[in-house]
Structures are given as C-alpha cells and as structure tokens.
Amino acid sequence: SSRKYASAVTVRKNDVPKIIYEDDEIIVCNKPPGLNTAPGISQKPSLCHFVSEHYGYGPSDLNKMCVHRLDTDTSGVVILARSQQSLKHLHYQFRERRTKKVYECLVACSMSVESGWIDMPLGRDFENPPWMRVITD
C-alpha cells in the first residue's frame, strides 16, 4: 500500500541549531527535529542556511559545506566543512565507514524487554521515498 508522509515535526522559534564545536576546518551543530539539513527544492530554512547566515557565507556555499545529512524529523549532530579540502577528507571518511554513527529511536509498540539493540541493515524505502526502512529481504 502506498502511504503519503508529511513532516511530523515543525521547527519551533526557540529550537534553533546550536553550534557545539568549531575550528578552522569544521563546524559541528546539534540539529533540532523539523529542520532540513541542507536546502532542497522547497527552499525551506535549513541547518546550512543557519550556519551560512551565522558565519556570513554566500548562498553558493550552502551545498558545498554539507558533509552528511540527517532526515528532517531527526535531531542530532551534523558536521559541516569550512573548506573544500575538509569536505573532501570528511566525505572520504564517511564513504569508507571510518566514522562511528550511533542512532537512537523511539519504538511505538509493545516490547518484551525494557531496552536492547536492534542490529539490522537500513536502506531506502522505495515504496515511500525519501523514508528509510529495515532491510529484511
């Protein structure tokens, strides 16, 4: 069955991204839920817009700084590059799986245990883009 999804979260005025680390090569932000990581076709506000305005970068720099993305409804740490050299190096680290990423999620069902690990591969949900799902086949 085909399902239509809309963002379940909206960005609250006081829920702006927080810069948690910066140096000459990178900017690390805590992205709130409901905010796009990078600008899309809709041109809704994004984390990259926020960082661009904060540091005075030009509009053409927005997509050049994004090392990786989080889904709009996902909160978490996002790394942005401050130079092409940093971007290339960080893309390599992510592509080669040299970074460690940890995800936490809420599960909406009855569980037989209070906590635990779900260790299953994730992939694109081709029936419901742009969503991801556990790959079982």
Side-chain angles (χ1 to χ4, degrees):
S1 69
S2 179
R3 295 176 289 193
K4 299 290 182 202
Y5 292 94
S7 178
V9 181
T10 57
V11 182
R12 296 181 305 231
K13 198 172 202 175
N14 295 337
D15 209 7
V16 296
K18 293 186 179 43
I19 297 167
I20 57 176
Y21 176 82
E22 65 178 294
D23 62 24
D24 292 340
E25 300 298 325
I26 63 171
I27 300 165
V28 181
C29 293
N30 189 11
K31 184 189 91 59
L35 182 67
N36 291 340
T37 301
I41 296 170
S42 67
Q43 289 301 309
K44 290 181 181 176
S46 70
L47 177 67
C48 289
H49 283 114
F50 168 81
V51 170
S52 178
E53 286 179 19
H54 185 79
Y55 290 96
Y57 296 136
S60 63
D61 296 323
L62 289 176
N63 279 323
K64 295 178 189 173
M65 60 193 340
C66 194
V67 175
H68 65 104
R69 298 169 189 247
L70 292 177
D71 289 344
T72 299
D73 290 343
T74 302
S75 64
V77 175
V78 176
I79 303 169
L80 303 166
R82 296 184 89 167
S83 69
Q84 282 297 319
Q85 182 178 358
S86 296
L87 183 67
K88 185 176 180 180
H89 180 68
L90 290 164
H91 275 164
Y92 173 79
Q93 289 184 33
F94 274 80
R95 186 174 52 252
E96 297 299 316
R97 308 240 188 263
R98 294 184 179 191
T99 56
K100 180 181 177 185
K101 298 180 275 184
V102 177
Y103 296 92
E104 292 183 12
C105 71
L106 297 175
V107 178
C109 67
S110 297
M111 300 292 291
S112 59
V113 294
E114 189 172 313
S115 66
W117 293 93
I118 299 173
D119 187 8
M120 299 177 76
L122 297 176
R124 297 219 176 273
D125 185 342
F126 293 107
E127 292 179 17
N128 300 294
W131 300 95
M132 306 290 279
R133 68 176 185 88
V134 171
I135 304 298
T136 56
D137 47 333

